[in-house]
Amino acid sequence: MTAVDALPAYRQTREQLLQQLETDAEQGLAVDVVERRREISGPNRLAEAAAEPWWKKLLGQFNQLVVWILIAAAIISGLLGDLTDTIAIASIVILNGVLGYLQEARAAQALAALQQMSAPMCKVIRDGKLQSLSAVDLVPGDILEIEAGDHISADCRLLSAFSLSVQEAALTGESVPVHKDAESQVADDAGIGDRDNMLYMGTEAVSGKATAVVTATGMQTELGQIAGLLQRQTIETTPLQRRLEELGRVLIFVCLGLVGIIFLLQLMRGGKLLDTFLVAVSLAVAAVPEGLPAVVTITLALGLQRMVKRNALIRKLPSVETLGSVTVICSDKTGTLTRNEMTVREVYVRGQLLHVSGAGYDSEGQIRPAEEETLSPQVESDLLWALIIGAVCNNAEVSQDAETSEWQVIGDPTEAALIVLARKHGYTAEEHHPGEIEHENPFDSDRKTMSVVVRRPDDKTVLLVKGAPEMILRRCTAERWQGEVRPLTDERRQNIVKVNSELASRALRVLALAYRDQPPEPGSVDQEQELIFAGLVGMIDPPRDEVKSAVNRCRAAGIRPVMITGDHPETALAIARELGIAGAEQRAVTGQTLTSWSEDELTGKVSEIPVYARVSAEHKLRIIDAWRRRGDVVAMTGDGVNDAPAVQAADIGIAMGITGTDVTKEASDMVLTDDNFSSIVNAVEEGRGIFDNIQKFVLYLLACNASEVLFMFLATLFGWPIPLRAIQVLWINLITDGIPALALAVEPTENDVMQRPPRPPKAPVISTANGLQILWHGLLMAGTALLGFYMVYQGDPAHLEEARTTAFCLMAFTQLFYAIGCRSATRTMPELGLFTNPTLFFAIAISAALQAIVVMIPFFQKMLETQSLTLYDWGWIIGLALTPVTLLEVSKLIRAAFRESNDGNSK
């Protein structure tokens, strides 16, 4: 090892470090080199504590008091000579535990897959191409491009930096962002916080941009050495899951109370102590819906995977519930409501408006005056200078894929449109660059400008600036006219403002271009003064075709769409009116107006404002707070670093997956992988559907469990013998609570889910109406089983075992058929479609087949204490078992007829 190799990265020069890491700042690493290095360094992630072993998770399924009591009772029964009961009960308990373990394992796998989808991405140069890759794939020697809002995914040495500041609080505890400098000379004994030429994993870039080379990954990073082993991330429980757990605890006490009464009454009637105790404990085990949390988790996870297919990645489980309660969606315009394919349509230079042909990112097209075929030499000179400013004061890349011939853009679409505009006139920054860029002042939402300092071949510097017209114009003192610089008069200033308004009124986004020769104070935004006006460019980002229908769906669902943009008010209002967000008489409110309003004024007016234009991140926060003070549930989109506070403050924070920064994604609840407003509406629809399905299987499980308890309780009150054996109760619980409930969880979203009002955020899982419905449906199923039991028993002890078998089958089939009625609270099976949820019918068929097997096959008859049934018996049992669900379907038809009648009368 040489002396240079022994030096830490922050002590080496850039050239020495690149040589040591065998990489190139322009080309990066080759793919084959990356593979070899990954074998050595491993994946770029911090080690996690070992997961809980599978056998502990399996044993945890039996860690419930009533289960241990049941097992103990079964063992006692075996010791007293009833070995069949012991084996049967133990088998059912073990099978239940295994199914519970498999459900939880499936839920964990689904959530792990979702976490993998939301892994952070970074921009890497490999084989000379800029690529977006998962941060896990980084290796030492990779060349990274970093900009404001990016997470630093590995330890890096800066190669170049422009106004770069990094928040290192996660690593050093320093609350103020630290300025970074690629040229900095760092002392040998410098601490982490003083190494100005280094970036470290776990920190965030808050401003500026940089290029850096990866020096360490994974556990070799500073964060890795400090962290040691991280605790494995726990699955975040949702408020719904917590409310269901509380409901489960209440049900335990209620069920134990009823089971205790059944136990005492049966003893008073002379029942055998052990048999009665086994039945009571089995009923307690069956009555408590201990599998609810696992089924809810699986439902949420499966729903989230469906959302991913519809371009919405949910990062936090609780937000699924909140989605169903959203009343306001505040959306950015560019790229979300529009295509994000900017095309320049008009250029204004030297007092003349020029039309630009062509569309998209293809460079086919021309720049021509409206009435003349060719440009005059005077206009040509000024136009070329405007094109130079737009193309050089620019960070985008526009290229054509060699295989697909599709145009690809890396960077801001607005900047890409300026590059394409220059190419249409035969100018490319690569071939006609005016000099070397010495410094960049990145765009920020407060200045609303971006500028670069270029050193010309004659060693003079020029500042090139682009940005919002109103911000640029107020800093201009002169303008370029026929190749010369002349003072900008008030008359000309008013003319430019008029042209700007005219272009904006046609829904064009307008940028101003300006420059300054020999700017003072290199590296300071204060140099953006005394500018020379060069021109205006008007570009269009047309609305997405699907957004208008999505806005209509929002309104039908009781959701208010609101546009919030940094664009010109007239541009924003034109797009909003075209999409149906704003009416013809409604106006846009600017950030300047918002600033002049008090909190109470804004709260009073916020419901009347459809469009906010020229707003800052602070304004977004005020808008969110105003809506929330009114009691609304707000979803807010964002992409830039400055949007992160507003995204975090919203009830549902939505980050853009394509243009969004890492910081904003981290603050969000949901990431749109296609940056499309329609995907937000689709996510709301899926969220409502998921909650609908959760309610369906909760009602199903609780009604089924209630039917078992009521059946045993009423039979005891009537003075009848115990109508079901302990093993039969456990078996019914096994085949009806598991597979059918999971099948209800994948019920397709109902067609009218987006025609209902938003669900109140604090609405209980089980309302009073739901509770009465559970009791009524449970009583209906219990009554069916009681009727069947008595029809066979009729007070004759000789028919008791046959009556128990009948009741056993009736209770099982009644609950299985009842699942069909739980598919919808208002729509009948023909309306839903017989095969729209084939999983449910498959689940019912499997469970019904298992029930028939344990009654018909002698081995299982002995184990479950059943008798064979005749074909006639099967016929009337299945017919009677269909009675409850038939009554429910008929009641839906009657209610639907009443609704239609009322609707007709109201018209």
Side-chain angles (χ1 to χ4, degrees):
M1 180 181 290
T2 67
V4 170
D5 293 339
L7 288 174
Y10 62 87
R11 287 287 295 133
Q12 296 188 47
T13 66
R14 288 168 291 190
E15 293 73 19
Q16 289 171 336
L17 189 58
L18 289 171
Q19 185 177 1
Q20 179 189 327
L21 293 170
E22 298 178 4
T23 187
D24 183 270
E26 300 294 331
Q27 295 296 314
L29 295 173
V31 175
D32 57 335
V33 175
V34 170
E35 294 300 327
R36 289 198 299 272
R37 292 193 181 184
R38 189 175 294 119
E39 291 177 5
I40 299 170
S41 62
N44 180 35
R45 63 165 67 97
L46 301 182
E48 293 180 328
E52 186 180 22
W54 67 268
W55 55 270
K56 277 191 178 181
K57 293 180 181 178
L58 180 58
L59 290 178
Q61 299 296 319
F62 307 100
N63 193 21
Q64 299 174 44
L65 179 61
V66 288
V67 173
W68 287 114
I69 293 173
L70 180 61
I71 293 173
I75 292 172
I76 293 170
S77 178
L79 293 174
L80 294 177
D82 196 351
L83 195 60
T84 303
D85 257 12
T86 302
I87 295 172
I89 291 173
S91 300
I92 298 293
V93 168
I94 291 170
L95 191 55
N96 249 326
V98 170
L99 285 176
Y101 165 76
L102 292 175
Q103 283 181 349
E104 290 191 5
R106 184 180 179 188
Q109 288 172 358
L111 288 175
L114 289 170
Q115 289 173 359
Q116 184 66 29
M117 290 178 201
S118 60
M121 306 294 286
C122 53
K123 294 183 280 291
V124 188
I125 297 175
R126 286 183 182 168
D127 283 331
K129 295 180 180 178
L130 185 62
Q131 307 172 38
S132 181
L133 301 174
S134 172
V136 176
D137 295 329
L138 290 180
V139 297
D142 266 326
I143 306 298
L144 301 184
E145 286 201 358
I146 297 159
E147 58 186 16
D150 286 352
H151 279 305
I152 309 303
S153 304
D155 286 2
C156 309
R157 167 68 158 88
L158 285 171
L159 299 177
S160 64
F162 296 105
S163 302
L164 183 68
S165 292
V166 177
Q167 178 57 264
E168 296 184 333
L171 190 64
T172 66
E174 176 63 49
S175 59
V176 179
V178 178
H179 177 72
K180 295 291 182 175
D181 184 0
E183 309 290 341
S184 178
Q185 301 294 318
V186 181
D188 287 338
D189 58 353
I192 293 175
D194 297 321
R195 299 171 188 170
D196 298 338
N197 58 8
M198 293 291 293
L199 303 176
Y200 292 104
M201 174 188 264
T203 61
E204 298 170 353
V206 295
S207 65
K209 58 182 297 186
T211 305
V213 59
V214 175
T215 58
T217 59
M219 295 304 290
Q220 301 305 311
T221 63
E222 293 288 344
L223 185 63
Q225 293 176 35
I226 293 170
L229 288 177
L230 292 178
Q231 291 300 313
R232 180 169 292 273
Q233 185 176 2
T234 56
I235 295 173
E236 184 178 10
T237 58
T238 73
L240 170 64
Q241 288 172 306
R242 292 192 287 272
R243 291 201 298 270
L244 286 175
E245 287 173 3
E246 292 169 6
L247 175 65
R249 286 192 287 271
V250 172
L251 288 175
I252 286 176
F253 290 109
V254 173
C255 292
L256 288 178
L258 287 173
V259 167
I261 294 171
I262 294 170
F263 174 67
L264 291 174
L265 288 175
Q266 286 293 345
L267 277 183
M268 290 168 63
R269 289 189 63 258
K272 293 181 181 179
L273 175 63
L274 187 59
D275 286 349
T276 305
F277 183 69
L278 272 175
V279 170
V281 177
S282 298
L283 191 57
V285 171
V288 177
E290 70 284 342
L292 265 183
V295 179
V296 169
T297 303
I298 292 172
T299 306
L300 289 171
L302 292 176
L304 300 194
Q305 288 177 347
R306 289 199 303 274
M307 285 188 184
V308 169
K309 293 177 182 177
R310 301 185 75 176
N311 303 310
L313 174 60
I314 300 294
R315 298 184 63 255
K316 301 170 185 175
L317 279 182
S319 56
V320 177
E321 297 171 50
T322 314
L323 274 171
S325 304
V326 165
T327 57
V328 180
I329 299 177
C330 297
S331 173
D332 190 16
K333 177 181 71 68
T334 305
T336 309
L337 297 170
T338 57
R339 291 176 179 274
N340 208 20
E341 295 177 357
M342 300 298 291
T343 303
V344 176
R345 293 293 188 207
E346 308 284 349
V347 179
Y348 177 74
V349 293
R350 208 206 65 149
Q352 188 171 4
L353 200 60
L354 308 176
H355 177 69
V356 184
S357 61
Y361 297 123
D362 196 318
S363 56
E364 292 293 326
Q366 293 181 323
I367 305 173
R368 290 287 181 268
E371 299 176 357
E372 303 172 27
E373 294 185 3
T374 59
L375 292 170
S376 66
Q378 295 87 350
V379 175
E380 179 79 37
S381 170
D382 295 336
L383 172 63
L384 184 58
W385 191 241
L387 297 181
I388 289 172
I389 296 172
V392 176
C393 185
N394 199 309
N395 287 317
E397 292 183 19
V398 182
S399 60
Q400 192 171 24
D401 189 280
E403 296 181 1
T404 64
S405 296
E406 292 183 358
W407 289 96
Q408 298 177 335
V409 172
I410 297 177
D412 191 308
T414 299
E415 295 189 326
L418 295 174
I419 291 175
V420 174
L421 173 67
R423 288 179 180 176
K424 287 179 179 179
H425 203 61
Y427 173 86
T428 60
E430 295 84 355
E431 297 177 9
H432 306 91
H433 205 290
E436 181 182 352
I437 294 178
E438 287 195 340
H439 182 76
E440 176 182 324
N441 295 310
F443 176 87
D444 69 52
S445 58
D446 293 324
R447 289 174 24 250
K448 292 186 171 64
T449 58
M450 171 193 172
S451 60
V452 294
V453 177
V454 178
R455 184 165 295 278
R456 294 172 168 176
D458 60 6
D459 207 35
K460 293 182 179 180
T461 59
V462 60
L463 178 75
L464 308 181
V465 189
K466 74 173 190 295
E470 63 269 28
M471 303 299 284
I472 296 280
L473 268 178
R474 71 177 60 167
R475 301 173 192 173
C476 287
T477 58
E479 69 173 324
R480 186 179 178 89
W481 193 275
Q482 295 185 10
E484 298 179 356
V485 176
R486 71 178 195 180
L488 183 62
T489 64
D490 289 341
E491 182 182 357
R492 282 290 301 137
R493 192 183 298 272
Q494 289 173 5
N495 286 339
I496 295 169
V497 170
K498 184 179 179 181
V499 172
N500 176 43
S501 297
E502 180 192 338
L503 294 176
S505 68
R506 290 156 50 192
L508 294 176
R509 182 181 184 186
V510 186
L511 286 180
L513 306 171
Y515 68 101
R516 179 179 183 175
D517 287 314
Q518 297 290 95
E521 302 180 44
S524 170
V525 295
D526 293 335
Q527 61 192 319
E528 296 174 353
Q529 304 293 335
E530 299 179 15
L531 302 177
I532 301 167
F533 178 77
L536 298 174
V537 290
M539 56 188 74
I540 185 73
D541 181 14
R544 293 178 181 267
D545 296 334
E546 64 274 19
V547 168
K548 190 168 185 176
S549 63
V551 168
N552 292 334
R553 288 170 63 205
C554 272
R555 295 197 181 280
I559 300 170
R560 173 77 179 275
V562 177
M563 179 191 291
I564 301 180
T565 178
D567 215 336
H568 193 281
E570 294 185 25
T571 306
L573 196 57
I575 295 289
R577 284 172 177 164
E578 185 175 345
L579 293 174
I581 293 175
E585 302 301 319
Q586 291 180 301
R587 311 302 302 172
V589 171
T590 64
Q592 190 174 5
T593 304
L594 275 180
T595 302
S596 68
W597 288 350
S598 68
E599 300 302 323
D600 290 339
E601 282 181 297
L602 178 56
T603 303
K605 296 177 180 178
V606 71
S607 63
E608 303 168 6
I609 304 168
V611 178
Y612 299 86
R614 287 291 192 251
V615 295
S616 66
E618 183 183 351
H619 294 137
K620 287 188 176 184
L621 274 173
R622 291 190 63 202
I623 294 166
I624 290 173
D625 290 341
W627 277 111
R628 296 186 71 181
R629 279 194 296 271
R630 292 172 48 87
D632 285 276
V633 179
V634 186
M636 170 69 80
T637 69
D639 51 10
V641 178
N642 292 335
D643 291 332
V647 167
Q648 194 163 32
D651 297 288
I652 291 285
I654 304 169
M656 301 296 106
I658 299 173
T659 60
T661 60
D662 290 342
V663 173
T664 309
K665 291 175 186 176
E666 191 67 26
S668 70
D669 303 291
M670 181 169 79
V671 177
L672 299 183
T673 57
D674 63 349
D675 292 8
N676 192 335
F677 179 83
S678 297
S679 298
I680 304 175
V681 184
N682 292 339
V684 171
E685 181 180 18
E686 287 289 350
R688 290 187 177 190
I690 290 170
F691 193 85
D692 252 15
N693 287 350
I694 289 174
Q695 276 205 318
K696 288 171 187 176
F697 70 67
V698 167
L699 292 174
Y700 168 75
L701 287 176
L702 295 185
C704 289
N705 291 356
S707 70
E708 295 165 17
V709 174
L710 288 170
F711 174 52
M712 300 291 278
F713 180 68
L714 292 173
T716 302
L717 284 182
F718 295 157
W720 298 347
I722 296 175
L724 289 175
R725 297 287 189 184
I727 186 66
Q728 292 172 343
V729 173
L730 292 173
W731 174 259
I732 292 171
N733 184 59
L734 178 68
I735 66 168
T736 61
D737 275 17
I739 305 175
L742 280 175
L744 280 173
V746 296
E747 180 72 26
T749 302
E750 294 186 43
N751 293 336
D752 65 344
V753 74
M754 290 298 282
Q755 295 168 10
R756 308 173 196 166
R759 181 178 54 83
K762 294 185 179 179
V765 183
I766 303 298
S767 62
T768 303
N770 292 146
L772 293 173
Q773 182 182 354
I774 288 168
L775 285 175
W776 165 237
H777 291 177
L779 189 61
L780 200 59
M781 289 186 281
T784 303
L786 283 168
L787 177 62
F789 178 81
Y790 187 74
M791 285 172 62
V792 177
Y793 174 53
Q794 295 185 353
D796 186 353
H799 295 149
L800 180 58
E801 292 307 318
E802 183 184 353
R804 281 175 173 159
T805 301
T806 301
F808 176 48
C809 290
L810 267 172
M811 185 56 71
F813 285 117
T814 300
Q815 292 184 16
L816 291 175
F817 295 149
Y818 173 65
I820 297 172
C822 290
R823 293 182 65 194
S824 173
T826 57
R827 303 173 70 203
T828 61
M829 188 172 69
E831 290 177 298
L832 293 169
L834 188 61
F835 300 109
T836 50
N837 186 0
T839 307
L840 178 62
F841 288 95
F842 179 73
I844 292 172
I846 292 294
S847 297
L850 290 172
Q851 178 65 23
I853 287 171
V854 298
V855 173
M856 296 171 63
I857 295 178
F859 172 78
F860 292 110
Q861 286 179 347
K862 185 177 180 182
M863 183 178 289
L864 274 81
E865 302 183 49
T866 60
Q867 294 184 357
S868 296
L869 297 172
T870 65
L871 192 60
Y872 171 78
D873 291 333
W874 281 112
W876 75 261
I877 286 172
I878 290 174
L880 188 58
L882 282 167
T883 303
V885 70
T886 303
L887 290 174
L888 293 179
E889 293 292 290
V890 170
S891 70
K892 291 177 190 176
L893 287 173
I894 294 172
R895 290 199 301 272
F898 271 116
R899 280 197 302 272
E900 288 180 10
S901 175
N902 291 334
D903 291 343
N905 292 334
S906 64
K907 291 177 182 177

